[in-house]
Amino acid sequence: MANSEFRLGRIQPAPENFLTDEQIQSVKEGRRDFLRKAFLGASAAMMAPAVARAAGEGDPAILNLPSWTTSLGLPVATHPYGLPSKYERGLVRRESPGLTRVGGSSVSFTPLQGLFGIVTPSGLHFERHHQGWHDIDPSQHRLMINGMVKTNSVFTMDDLMRLPSVSRIHFIECGANTGMEWGNVAVPTVQYSHGMLSCSEFTGVPLKAILDMCGADYKKGRFILAEGADGSSMTRTIPMEMVESGEVLVAYGMNGEMLRPENGYPLRLVVPGVQGVSWVKWLRRIEVGDKPWGAKDEAVHYIDLMPDGQHRQYSSVQECKSVITTPSGGQILLDKGFYNVSGMAWSGRGKITRVDVSTDGGINWRQARLETPVLSKAVTRFNIDWVWDGKPAILQSRAVDDTGFVQPGYGQLRAARGTKSIYHNNAIQSWKVVESGEVSNVQVL
Amino acid sequence: MSRFSKTLMALMVAAAATSFVTPAAAFDRYQGVGRPATAAEVKAWDIDVRPDFVGLPTGKGTVDQGVELWETHCASCHGAFGESNEVFTPLVGGTTLDDIKTGHVKSLVTGSSPQRTTLMKVPTVATLFDYIQRAMPWTAPKSLKPDETYAILAYLLNLADVVPADYELSDQNIREVQERMPNRNGMTTDHGMWPGAPLAKGGLGNGGKPDTKNVACMKDCKKEVQIVSFLPDYAQDAHGNLAEQNRPVGQTRGKQTGEPSAAAGGGTQTAAAAALALAGEKGCMACHGVANKIVGPGYNEILAKYKGQADIETKLIAKLKAGGQGVWGAVPMPPQGHVKDEELKQLVQWILEGAKAQ
């Protein structure tokens, strides 16, 4: 195209003239030899890149008018609740085979490799259930407040949805996200390595307002217990300081609609910056107390094993972390040339201030662009230009938050916590690119 | 458990009994929103037991009683001795009599236990009582009475040699048991990941001080890049065909790591595929394989045993509903009350048609 003759005011002639003789020849010869090998066995329609085949008369996708241009489309409300295109069906929540043995106590991962921006589509929000999920009748759901309060109280959904509401965008990340990778590479793609991460706009009532109504004893009651209405009635301890800051929400809305049942319909707790297990779903009760509760998910699970055999208990904050989502593991680059390296960064302590990207495994770094909005305790999208020369490369991203904390490498993280910690792995992720264009998951020092 | 004083509670109950009139001050700002809870309501839901035993119900149960309850309610998932690794990680194992003395589980340092069992980790016996009471058994949570919970817990603790075989656990002696928990000294809150006040100010932890200190170096940050781990060849297809887990347009494609699946080719789900999905969803597959025994018999074995018998569909549905024991061994199958009648029928028909995947 760069060499083509182009004169203003003149109708473009036959497509051959868009290309130089050299370019036409290269298309005829199939300059994507490496690609053909990589795609061997793949069905052509699904897998072959949509190269504008300009040889001959031109691109059949242009010359032969497609059916959607020459026929009547479907009427409104064909799908009263809209669905993604059928061509997007590969981008769904998936389990990691062998990770768990019971679907009711398991995880499904968000397909980060295909997402844009910062908001996770509600149907792709990752799932973690401790004893299965239910679709609860909201008219029968109750929230009880008890413990160190003047008045033990009950609220219906009608009550809660009458109160002044706020809407805020926050990330939620499971404490075990990237947990399979503590010791070594275990999974092929970013869906499984980082997909227990989602980011949504949540709507609800600050818990502080509700505790005020009940006359909470803020002097003595420095902890709250949140409890779910599901079979597991999962419980977690949360510091009163977070409630007092006004950021902990009793939420019923997610991305403009009610919460999805898998995410806690009709009510869940939102605890910004803290691991997902504390965002108790199907929230039925908040108790105010003067000591932490040592619940099963604070005394058996969600505890971080250190090399000296001690477990860190009540470790809750998700520290600063980032990952490149494309190009990422299990993907193939189509050709040499320009790429938009894109990823997500987040911190449980505040805003992302900077993300750097390396294409040589961490020897040299360049600062990426942060896309707006950049919000506290929310996913921030970053992008950076990259021209791939066809040679091996290792892509990494490294985030910094507004406390000045810099995301650690694997060497630093393991020096501090060993290799058996399971939870809170926020190490720099590496994606290796080889000459064929294949991208794979590696760990580097 | 509520710290609410008995006097105040009585006053509030009296107020609640007359009418749900909002007490002074508390609800002033948002009139008409919310109401006081009755004492019975709080009692029904406030079931938590704290590590300091606040909230512990009175009651007792022996190891022997626990054995029987365990067989009925627990063994199908956890194994007769809490050792099973089939459905959940083992509950028992990896602790020693020496650990009971020190309160530190040594195998957490040496790595000598292949699994980190529950008893290796849990520092507080109240946590076990609380969890069994609120969430067990798996398909019928909150159905155990306090005495049953004591008995089951007694058996579990006996399996780990925390209490002797003739022990009766009760609200009176559970504090003594706490002093024998193998990992009671195994927890630390000396870290920066508690999001509230630090220990020095009545909270936990060090006040948010991180334990790693990377710097944002930009140029010549290291001499060489050492790849220390990558996905081995045999694991390339363990997560299915990655080509089908990526978008068919854009700057990349997914790598082919297996044959294109029928599901990705579209089409409607067959009855067999729907039943298989249902069996997964309802937890059947945790104990029964399509062609192999897990805890219970494989579907192929069930078909072989009952094929051709009169009225077998009705009989099997009844069996699923009520649970059973003895036909396939000592481990009982618990009643499947969480599965609807029409779903039971769908599952039984599918089994009798050979439990096909498609």
Side-chain angles (χ1 to χ4, degrees):
Chain A
M1 293 282 282
N3 298 333
S4 68
E5 289 183 17
F6 184 84
R7 275 170 274 171
L8 279 172
R10 194 175 161 189
I11 294 167
Q12 291 286 338
E16 293 95 307
N17 292 10
F18 279 94
L19 303 172
T20 65
D21 288 344
E22 270 176 16
Q23 286 172 319
I24 291 167
Q25 195 56 35
S26 73
V27 171
K28 280 180 179 166
E29 286 168 3
R31 64 198 157 112
R32 287 169 179 79
D33 281 342
F34 69 83
L35 207 59
R36 294 197 170 171
K37 280 173 201 155
F39 289 139
L40 210 62
S43 91
M46 278 291 287
M47 297 307 305
V51 178
R53 296 193 188 284
E57 284 296 308
D59 184 351
I62 296 171
L63 297 179
N64 308 326
L65 293 181
S67 61
W68 52 86
T69 309
T70 57
S71 63
L72 175 63
L74 297 166
V76 298
T78 302
H79 301 301
Y81 196 107
L83 295 165
S85 161
K86 63 183 176 185
Y87 301 103
E88 297 291 312
R89 66 184 151 220
L91 293 159
V92 291
R93 296 191 285 226
R94 292 173 191 273
E95 286 189 88
S96 181
L99 180 62
T100 59
R101 287 152 289 186
V102 185
S105 176
S106 189
V107 173
S108 71
F109 296 83
T110 296
L112 300 180
Q113 69 273 20
L115 300 192
F116 313 115
I118 66 169
V119 172
T120 310
S122 295
L124 296 179
H125 190 299
F126 79 93
E127 295 171 280
R128 168 72 171 114
H129 313 309
H130 290 245
Q131 210 150 336
W133 62 277
H134 299 271
D135 195 355
I136 292 174
D137 176 353
S139 72
Q140 297 301 308
H141 188 73
R142 303 288 182 268
L143 174 67
M144 180 183 289
I145 310 288
N146 77 311
M148 300 176 82
V149 296
K150 280 204 187 80
T151 313
N152 292 333
S153 305
V154 172
F155 298 86
T156 62
M157 289 305 298
D158 294 342
D159 287 326
L160 297 170
M161 294 171 80
R162 272 172 83 176
L163 291 171
S165 69
V166 296
S167 296
R168 293 181 192 147
I169 296 176
H170 289 297
F171 79 82
I172 169 171
E173 182 184 21
C174 177
N177 200 24
T178 324
M180 289 183 278
E181 305 263 306
W182 255 107
N184 50 267
V185 167
V187 296
T189 75
V190 72
Q191 176 159 18
Y192 306 106
S193 67
H194 289 74
M196 285 195 272
L197 169 75
S198 296
C199 184
S200 296
E201 183 199 65
F202 294 95
T203 297
V205 183
L207 177 58
K208 173 79 163 50
I210 297 169
L211 293 190
D212 285 352
M213 287 172 75
C214 303
D217 181 352
Y218 292 111
K219 194 151 189 285
K220 289 187 187 140
R222 299 311 299 165
F223 301 89
I224 65 157
L225 180 78
E227 179 182 78
D230 59 322
S232 80
S233 294
M234 214 208 63
T235 44
R236 280 284 299 189
T237 304
I238 292 148
M240 189 61 98
E241 291 81 15
M242 281 200 79
V243 178
E244 288 171 311
S245 77
E247 62 184 328
V248 176
L249 305 182
V250 171
Y252 43 81
M254 184 165 97
N255 297 332
E257 58 184 4
M258 285 293 280
L259 291 162
R260 296 289 172 92
E262 300 96 311
N263 304 122
Y265 183 93
L267 199 66
R268 87 174 304 170
L269 203 63
V270 168
V271 193
V274 168
Q275 60 187 355
V277 67
S278 294
W279 297 42
V280 173
K281 297 190 284 189
W282 315 290
L283 181 72
R284 77 166 190 178
R285 193 168 69 92
I286 297 283
E287 181 170 341
V288 178
D290 59 359
K291 284 181 186 161
W293 274 265
K296 181 261 290 176
D297 291 303
E298 301 173 327
V300 179
H301 305 304
Y302 302 90
I303 50 175
D304 312 26
L305 180 60
M306 297 295 114
D308 65 358
Q310 295 293 101
H311 281 95
R312 287 183 177 174
Q313 197 175 18
Y314 303 112
S315 52
S316 305
V317 172
Q318 296 297 106
E319 291 183 317
C320 186
K321 186 168 171 180
S322 70
V323 67
I324 293 169
T325 52
T326 181
S328 62
Q331 297 184 332
I332 297 173
L333 302 180
L334 296 179
D335 199 355
K336 296 175 201 171
F338 181 84
Y339 285 87
N340 178 47
V341 174
S342 185
M344 304 157 93
W346 63 99
S347 168
R349 297 197 198 281
K351 281 187 187 178
I352 293 296
T353 54
R354 172 186 182 121
V355 177
D356 300 313
V357 169
S358 172
T359 56
D360 61 10
I363 297 172
N364 298 295
W365 298 79
R366 288 186 297 142
Q367 193 172 348
R369 301 187 305 275
L370 301 187
E371 308 301 342
T372 53
V374 179
L375 301 169
S376 180
K377 304 180 183 180
V379 165
T380 295
R381 173 64 61 172
F382 66 86
N383 290 301
I384 189 168
D385 297 353
W386 180 46
V387 177
W388 183 45
D389 57 8
K391 297 195 179 114
I394 293 176
L395 306 180
Q396 297 180 325
S397 65
R398 180 184 67 196
V400 184
D401 69 17
D402 60 3
T403 69
F405 178 86
V406 182
Q407 184 184 1
Y410 266 105
Q412 291 159 324
L413 199 60
R414 286 176 183 152
R417 303 185 207 162
T419 58
K420 297 190 167 66
S421 197
I422 300 181
Y423 301 97
H424 304 114
N425 177 357
N426 65 329
I428 289 171
Q429 170 68 41
S430 303
W431 304 119
K432 186 175 80 162
V433 183
V434 294
E435 288 94 334
S436 68
E438 280 187 36
V439 188
S440 63
N441 183 4
V442 297
Q443 292 180 353
V444 306
L445 292 179
Chain B
M1 183 64 187
S2 172
R3 311 280 302 204
F4 212 66
S5 83
K6 277 183 182 160
T7 328
L8 271 176
M9 185 79 90
L11 280 173
M12 201 205 66
V13 173
T18 47
S19 71
F20 285 134
V21 171
T22 306
F27 290 87
D28 274 0
R29 186 165 173 201
Y30 304 114
Q31 285 181 30
V33 177
R35 65 164 175 85
T38 69
E41 288 172 337
V42 173
K43 191 175 172 221
W45 277 13
D46 187 0
I47 58 173
D48 59 81
V49 182
R50 253 177 17 182
D52 57 4
F53 302 105
V54 171
L56 184 73
T58 55
K60 59 183 192 300
T62 65
V63 172
D64 278 348
Q65 288 162 342
V67 173
E68 280 188 38
L69 290 160
W70 190 274
E71 289 286 334
T72 315
H73 297 295
C74 319
S76 59
C77 287
H78 295 297
F81 305 102
E83 83 300 346
S84 174
N85 194 27
E86 295 287 346
V87 185
F88 297 103
T89 308
L91 301 176
V92 180
T95 62
T96 64
L97 291 173
D98 198 46
D99 297 340
I100 290 172
K101 277 188 204 140
T102 62
H104 289 282
V105 171
K106 202 169 180 185
S107 61
L108 290 172
V109 185
T110 61
S112 59
S113 173
Q115 296 267 5
R116 272 179 256 169
T117 69
T118 299
L119 263 295
M120 283 168 63
K121 294 186 286 183
V122 65
T124 39
V125 68
T127 301
L128 296 175
F129 191 98
D130 175 275
Y131 181 65
I132 294 168
Q133 175 176 258
R134 76 172 52 245
M136 290 294 113
W138 178 245
T139 57
K142 301 178 191 66
S143 60
L144 298 171
K145 295 181 183 71
D147 284 354
E148 294 176 319
T149 305
Y150 277 105
I152 287 170
L153 181 53
Y155 177 60
L156 179 62
L157 293 168
N158 173 246
L159 289 171
D161 291 325
V162 177
V163 301
D166 59 357
Y167 201 74
E168 182 180 67
L169 180 68
S170 74
D171 56 296
Q172 296 302 307
N173 61 17
I174 197 166
R175 285 165 185 80
E176 295 156 26
V177 174
Q178 173 59 39
E179 292 312 307
R180 290 176 56 80
M181 290 296 282
N183 202 37
R184 65 186 176 278
N185 298 320
M187 295 286 151
T188 174
T189 55
D190 185 16
H191 57 74
M193 294 165 89
W194 173 250
L199 182 64
K201 292 185 176 170
L204 301 167
N206 69 19
K209 207 175 112 205
D211 60 355
T212 61
K213 283 196 185 73
N214 199 3
V215 289
C217 167
M218 297 302 285
K219 208 166 165 48
D220 300 326
C221 302
K222 53 186 171 187
K223 288 270 186 302
E224 55 167 3
V225 176
Q226 192 190 350
I227 294 182
V228 292
S229 183
F230 55 90
L231 201 64
D233 280 343
Y234 66 81
Q236 294 292 334
D237 61 353
H239 284 73
N241 188 355
L242 302 179
E244 291 167 3
Q245 301 177 23
N246 278 272
R247 188 167 280 124
V249 293
Q251 65 179 4
T252 59
R253 295 293 182 277
K255 184 185 171 189
Q256 287 284 345
T257 51
E259 291 300 311
S261 73
T268 50
Q269 201 179 29
T270 62
L276 178 64
L278 184 66
E281 190 187 313
K282 296 299 175 189
C284 316
M285 306 302 285
C287 294
H288 303 279
V290 166
N292 59 293
K293 179 180 190 301
I294 303 178
V295 176
Y299 299 121
N300 60 331
E301 297 173 82
I302 297 171
L303 177 62
K305 190 179 189 85
Y306 294 112
K307 202 172 181 178
Q309 288 188 24
D311 207 20
I312 190 58
E313 186 177 314
T314 319
K315 278 185 197 158
L316 281 180
I317 289 172
K319 242 175 145 50
L320 290 180
K321 272 177 107 154
Q325 186 183 12
V327 181
W328 299 97
V331 178
M333 169 155 150
Q336 306 295 310
H338 64 300
V339 189
K340 292 186 196 120
D341 283 1
E342 64 266 26
E343 291 171 336
L344 289 172
K345 192 172 175 182
Q346 186 185 353
L347 288 168
V348 167
Q349 285 174 348
W350 170 67
I351 293 165
L352 294 175
E353 283 162 15
K356 294 186 179 74
Q358 290 296 328

